[in-house]
Amino acid sequence: MKELLKIEQGTMRFGGLTALSSLDFSIREKELVGLIGPNGAGKTTVFNLITGVYRPTSGRVFLGERDITGLRPYTIAAAGIGRTFQNIRLFESLTVFDNVRAAFNLHLRHNAIHALTRGPKFCEEEKEIAQKTLEILEIFHLGAQRDKPCTSLAYGDQRRLEIVRALATKPRLLLLDEPAAG
């Protein structure tokens, strides 16, 4: 199997603190990998390095053959890396439905003109996104709550919604930070 993700000599320093030192590892396609360690070991820092939240002090990050070191988080998401966070980060002012629909927007095919004029391409794609959003919400047993504010969900359902939203970005690699927390 091909390498999906590779970190070479990943180092992350915050002032005088070295959070990661010369980290080397890779993940192959279709591999399921767990990153374990005590609090403060650097697990979330690794995720932040991979997803572009942090630029490594030194070292490189590759998605397949592509060097994604230092790219913006939205560029890395569009390239195929989805993630959840240790502390839930939903769009608090949006409904359950709209939180997921927002993730599907990462791969829109229509342009601004279509959106402004509400042309056929825009309407067709919006209908398609709404259908996909409802389908994935049903799969994860959140369909009945689609019109509720996401903040009204129980903590476990919010965690599940965050995972659904990450899956809606159609990632090649999904990073789950503390998925069973709470």
Side-chain angles (χ1 to χ4, degrees), residues 104-177:
F104 278 110
N105 287 340
L106 183 63
H107 300 289
L108 289 176
R109 297 181 309 271
H110 68 265
N111 62 33
I113 299 297
H114 294 121
L116 289 172
T117 62
R118 302 252 183 222
K121 277 189 176 182
F122 171 82
C123 292
E124 181 181 315
E125 192 167 22
E126 285 297 307
K127 184 177 177 183
E128 185 180 314
I129 288 170
Q131 182 62 35
K132 287 179 180 178
T133 300
L134 290 173
E135 287 172 8
I136 197 167
L137 285 172
E138 287 298 328
I139 290 167
F140 285 87
H141 307 289
L142 290 168
Q145 300 178 65
R146 68 178 171 258
D147 295 323
K148 291 183 178 179
C150 68
T151 54
S152 72
L153 297 178
Y155 186 85
D157 288 339
Q158 287 184 24
R159 175 73 64 191
R160 195 161 15 124
L161 178 58
E162 190 178 43
I163 293 169
V164 171
R165 188 180 61 191
L167 287 169
T169 66
K170 303 176 188 174
R172 293 171 51 199
L173 174 66
L174 180 61
L175 304 174
L176 303 174
D177 197 349

Side-chain angles (χ1 to χ4, degrees), residues 49-62:
L49 205 93
I50 293 168
T51 59
V53 174
Y54 298 152
R55 182 182 184 101
T57 307
S58 62
R60 297 274 194 234
V61 180
F62 295 89

Side-chain angles (χ1 to χ4, degrees), residues 19-66:
L20 298 174
S21 179
S22 302
L23 177 66
D24 285 312
F25 82 91
S26 64
I27 299 172
R28 299 194 180 284
E29 291 180 352
K30 299 185 182 184
E31 208 170 29
L32 179 63
V33 176
L35 184 59
I36 60 172
N39 288 342
K43 300 177 300 290
T44 298
T45 300
V46 171
F47 278 26
N48 287 338
L49 205 93
I50 293 168
T51 59
V53 174
Y54 298 152
R55 182 182 184 101
T57 307
S58 62
R60 297 274 194 234
V61 180
F62 295 89
L63 180 61
E65 300 293 319
R66 182 178 179 188

